[in-house]
């Protein structure tokens, strides 16, 4: 079964499996003890630390191993903020960071700190200047990802770092480490081994020599005082071995996967009507592509693709378990529904991608069929009111798509809705389909009940 | 090489290795996703949770998997305290808990909470009544280990729980889980897989249904909102499989190991002069024995035993990396030096233990030889001043042992020392050797410089 969800987790690299097995036999003892078994574990740990440091461009004594990328981010953010308390309690981060960063920022604010989320452009990329402009005299830490985990857009890390002065920059390299060189400019670096084909249970927290750090957790000697608990030597050994292997293969593999992703980016809009490929067209990860199929739910698509034998991910959905749309897509101002993320693991083949491109149009068509989207020819009404009050997203946008053809160019449609997601989705749909979003008004002004009227001026028949 | 350090970490159980391998192939995907690989990982995770719950006497939905036993303790202590904030901010724990608990208590106090350490008797055991008496109206959590990690003494968990009313009790079962049934009475339970022969990277945090818990970490959906970060399914599967295997073998294996430990407890004092076996003589773990060899450093002994082919641990040493003596031995009021902990993994054989008993007397004698402990016959001096100012522990006790024979029974020795450890060690030595500790005075009163005079009344010639 083709697995196209490497951005969630990569299948273990063969080298990881092999190294884990060997290290289970040779490195299971407690590296903090003094006997022979312990010394052997310590030697394996030291060697793994050297390897990871070398690949990531750090010194061995700057590297601590955590239990996950999320733990690396939480500790990196809170520990660096604590270490710079004298400077202030302000945190700057992009609006499209991993939820682990956003949740840590929320906790920081709940505990009395402050945080600023820097907006991104329509491709999900921050401007280095805009990011640097958010820095204040009391800013104690800035956080920026190397590449976005949902849409693959690369961030201007090095350019941003150059504008930050002495404000430390934490770079979340989880999506790129192993595949791409770590961009220069970090003071603190976070990564996650299972994203590069290492085992679960290993994250990396690197803190540059001289950067002040104060652990937010109770005291513990392990990992330079940064990560409490028994050190997982076998998994760390496997993480280091696979990082080296993946990095060595990266140049060739990136070129191969980039060609496959380019194929998906080009063919999907040709094969599937009403699709928007999101993320930066050039400055992006080689192995990841995300697109939105209008009028349908990402989870439904994902489930149908799974039935057809393809493992993909949906960046977001109005009906996901958390009931909140993707913060990344929302920050980009693109539609948050019908979203599919295709992320190719090492070794993905052209026939696998071809098979996906063959199946996708049928699956999307089947999911859309019951919606009745066979749009009538352009109509001549001057105005139309679509009452979707009480209906959940994506119904408002589906109704809009169904009926837009009934209104003449220049005419006005008022979509009445009481679902908060419509406030974002209707303008995004307009942007995508070439109509003008004309603002909102109380639904009562259009004969509706409690809710909002979202006003659309029909400009053309693009995107129907 | 015989490995007698199972209390630090047990060698991986064969079942753990096998299960880890299988789960690496079948359960590497993200269990939070929706595709087939994810569902498979989730099924393995659910099954592992059921197994662990069953063995530990919990419900599956009470179990969260952490990255280590230390993380389980930190989260269990801080999360339960946060969950009971309305009740107050007072924590009660025994004085001999794992350092992870003590460091968490320190952090809690630094952040404005309060904590009471309940003392233990000479065997390292708390009294249930004394423990319960430390509870106040504002006590939000009590913490008690199932068994001590340095000396093996079992704590009266169930008796204590019965006296605590509605104050939640966190039980640290790290040293006993798998080997012994979990004692009844816990509200929160912590354990660590690598202690029972599972892989590193897995701890268990169980919170009884209805016990209020509020995570001290930033929000995250994983593991019931209690443990952030990617779930390590393969290691959890291996942890569960090995727990079931170890528990099934425990009755037979405990009887076997208890006989070997009894042999060590009986033979070591017969084979080695001036040895004290510490910990409760009856209420103890089956596989662990700790003894102190007077006048020598535990680390030196450990190193020599390692050269002779035996991996053991030293519960404490004045010269360990942290330079603080074992808090457990100090709380018990026994000597903190020359300490060796022998903890037998599953499968330890009689010939291995016999070989250890053959080597130990020679190693101790060799380490002691340069100290000149061939004590002279009982002397007749009425008083003696031993000036050890500027000398580090264990020199003061060694000097005392060397010269005690020069003083007649009833006579007085003043040991002058400026090492803080002497304040504990000299009374402990007296207790052990049958002399009376008569208190302290300024060293200047005995002709010394800046320091303390520790006064010993020679009562008999026991223990010379």
């Amino acid at each position: 079964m083709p697995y196209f969800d490497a951005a969630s987790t990569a299948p273990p690299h063969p080298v990881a499996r092999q190294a884990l097995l060997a290290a289970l036999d040779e490195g299971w003892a407690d590296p903090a003890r003094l006997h022979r078994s312990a010394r052997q574990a310590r030697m394996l740990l030291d060697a793994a630390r050297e390897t990871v440091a070398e690949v990531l461009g750090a010194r061995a004594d700057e590297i601590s191993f955590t239990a996950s990328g999320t733990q690396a981010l939480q500790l990196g953010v809170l520990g660096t903020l604590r270490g710079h308390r004298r400077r202030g309690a302000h945190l700057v981060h992009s609006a499209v960071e991993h939820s682990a960063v956003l949740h840590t920022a929320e906790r920081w604010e709940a505990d009395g700190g402050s945080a600023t989320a820097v907006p991104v452009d329509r491709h999900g990329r921050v401007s280095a200047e805009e990011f640097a402009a958010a820095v204040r005299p009391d800013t104690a830490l800035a956080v920026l990802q190397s590449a976005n985990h949902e849409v693959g857009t690369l961030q201007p890390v090095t350019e941003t770092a150059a504008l930050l002065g002495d404000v430390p920059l934490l770079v979340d390299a989880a999506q790129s480490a192993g595949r791409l060189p770590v961009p220069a400019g970090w003071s603190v670096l976070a990564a996650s081994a299972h994203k590069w084909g290492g085992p679960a249970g290993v994250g990396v927290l690197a803190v540059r020599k001289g950067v002040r750090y104060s652990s937010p957790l109770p005291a513990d000697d392990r990992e330079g005082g940064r990560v409490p608990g028994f050190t997982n030597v076998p998994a760390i050994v496997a993480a280091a071995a696979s990082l080296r292997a993946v990095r060595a293969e990266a140049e060739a593999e990136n070129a191969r996967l980039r060609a496959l992703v380019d194929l998906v980016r080009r063919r999907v809009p040709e094969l599937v009507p009403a699709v928007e490929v999101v993320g930066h067209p050039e400055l992006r990860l080689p192995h990841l592509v995300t697109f939105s199929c209008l009028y349908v739910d990402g989870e439904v698509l994902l489930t149908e693709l799974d039935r057809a034998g393809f493992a993909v991910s949906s960046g977001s959905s109005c009906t996901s378990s958390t009931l909140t749309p993707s913060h990344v897509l929302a920050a980009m101002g693109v539609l948050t529904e019908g979203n599919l993320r295709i992320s190719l693991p090492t070794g993905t083949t052209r026939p696998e991608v071809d098979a996906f491109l063959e199946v996708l149009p049928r699956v999307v068509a089947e999911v859309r069929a019951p919606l009745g989207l066979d749009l009538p020819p352009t109509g001549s009404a001057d105005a139309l009111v679509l009452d979707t009050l009480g209906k959940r997203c994506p119904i408002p946008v589906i109704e809009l798509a169904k009926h837009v053809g009934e209104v003449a160019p220049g005419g006005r449609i008022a979509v009445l809705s009481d679902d908060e997601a419509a406030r974002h989705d209707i303008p995004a749909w307009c942007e995508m389909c070439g109509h003008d979003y004309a603002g909102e008004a109380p639904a009562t002004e259009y004969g509706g009940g409690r809710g909002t009227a979202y006003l659309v001026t029909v400009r053309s028949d693009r995107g129907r």
Side-chain angles (χ1 to χ4, degrees), chain A:
Chain A
M1 175 171 178
Y3 177 82
F4 293 163
D5 195 16
S8 289
T9 192
H13 193 284
V15 160
R17 197 178 189 283
Q18 211 175 334
L20 184 61
L21 271 182
L24 261 184
D25 294 338
E26 305 294 326
W28 53 267
D30 183 350
R33 296 286 165 183
L34 298 173
H35 44 65
R36 200 175 306 176
S37 311
R39 284 196 304 274
Q40 196 167 297
R42 197 157 59 242
M43 278 165 45
L44 289 172
L45 177 60
D46 290 346
R49 202 185 304 279
E50 292 283 350
T51 299
V52 170
E54 192 194 323
V55 176
L56 298 184
R59 288 168 43 155
D61 60 358
E62 293 172 338
I63 301 276
S64 299
F65 292 108
T66 65
S68 65
T70 292
Q71 191 185 37
L73 286 172
Q74 291 185 350
L75 293 179
V77 171
L78 296 177
T80 313
L81 283 169
R82 279 176 61 98
H84 292 77
R85 270 174 297 197
R86 283 197 196 161
R87 187 195 287 265
H90 181 235
L91 168 68
V92 175
H93 60 85
S94 90
V96 296
E97 295 301 309
H98 189 273
S99 59
V101 171
L102 301 193
H103 288 315
T104 304
E106 284 160 18
R107 174 55 65 99
W108 181 246
E109 288 185 283
D111 290 346
S114 60
T116 300
V118 178
V120 294
D121 66 16
R122 199 170 162 75
H123 297 314
R125 191 169 154 95
V126 295
S127 136
E129 291 72 23
E130 207 175 333
F131 192 101
V135 168
R136 314 188 311 211
D138 65 336
T139 301
L141 177 67
V143 179
L144 184 59
Q145 61 199 188
S146 58
N148 185 265
H149 51 296
E150 285 191 24
V151 300
T153 299
L154 300 178
Q155 302 294 352
V157 168
T158 306
E159 302 88 305
T160 303
L163 301 177
L164 290 181
D166 62 349
V167 174
L169 176 64
L170 184 154
V171 174
D172 172 8
Q175 283 301 335
S176 68
R179 297 182 186 269
L180 300 174
V182 172
W186 57 270
S187 299
V188 182
L189 184 74
S192 175
H194 72 91
K195 304 274 192 198
W196 71 60
V202 182
V204 176
L205 171 64
V207 181
R208 278 277 185 237
K209 210 77 193 163
V211 172
R212 287 185 299 284
Y213 182 92
S214 167
S215 174
L217 296 178
D220 190 294
D221 287 343
R222 307 263 181 181
E223 290 302 297
R226 292 193 180 126
V227 189
F230 190 75
T231 310
N232 191 347
V233 175
I236 289 167
V237 168
S242 54
L243 178 61
R244 181 154 53 190
V246 165
R247 196 69 204 96
E249 300 159 356
E251 206 176 337
E253 192 63 13
N254 285 348
R256 234 174 49 72
L257 296 181
R258 181 175 284 276
L260 295 176
V261 161
D262 286 347
L263 181 70
V264 173
R265 290 179 66 91
R266 193 176 66 246
R267 291 292 287 151
V268 164
E270 293 169 4
L271 294 167
V272 181
V275 155
E276 183 181 23
V277 176
V278 297
H280 201 285
E282 294 301 327
L283 301 169
R284 57 184 162 87
L285 291 171
H287 66 296
L288 191 154
V289 50
T290 294
F291 50 86
S292 295
C293 301
L294 294 203
Y295 319 129
V296 291
D297 185 90
E299 264 185 46
V300 173
L301 274 183
L302 187 159
T303 305
E304 292 304 316
L305 284 167
D306 179 58
R307 272 190 206 151
F310 296 89
V312 304
S313 173
S314 177
S316 72
S317 164
C318 290
T319 56
S320 79
S321 66
T322 56
L323 286 169
T324 53
S326 155
H327 70 273
V328 171
L329 301 178
M332 292 165 63
V334 300
L335 277 173
T336 59
E337 63 199 35
N339 193 262
L340 289 184
R341 180 183 69 183
I342 313 298
S343 50
L344 308 181
T346 296
T348 301
T349 64
R350 172 74 191 251
E352 287 175 327
V353 171
D354 284 342
F356 174 74
L357 290 173
E358 198 179 318
V359 161
L360 181 70
R362 176 178 57 74
V363 165
V364 176
E366 281 171 11
V367 172
R368 281 177 178 166
L371 302 176
L373 286 170
D374 277 335
L375 305 176
T378 303
S380 57
D382 279 351
L384 186 64
V385 174
L386 298 173
D387 186 347
T388 67
L389 292 166
K391 306 267 170 59
R392 306 284 303 169
C393 196
I395 301 294
V397 173
I398 288 172
E399 287 300 307
L400 186 52
K402 266 181 174 169
H403 295 286
V404 66
E406 300 166 18
V407 177
R412 167 68 56 89
I413 304 179
V415 184
L416 313 189
S417 171
D418 51 6
D419 182 349
E420 269 303 302
R423 173 159 289 125
H424 169 82
D425 282 356
I426 291 173
W429 181 88
C430 289
E431 168 79 15
M432 187 179 159
C433 296
H435 302 288
D436 285 329
Y437 178 66
E440 58 183 65
T444 47
E445 292 184 11
Y446 289 81
R450 193 188 172 89
T452 304
Y454 299 95
L455 308 178
V456 177
T457 304
V458 177
R459 198 176 61 179
S460 74
D461 58 358
R462 280 175 51 204
R464 282 185 191 175

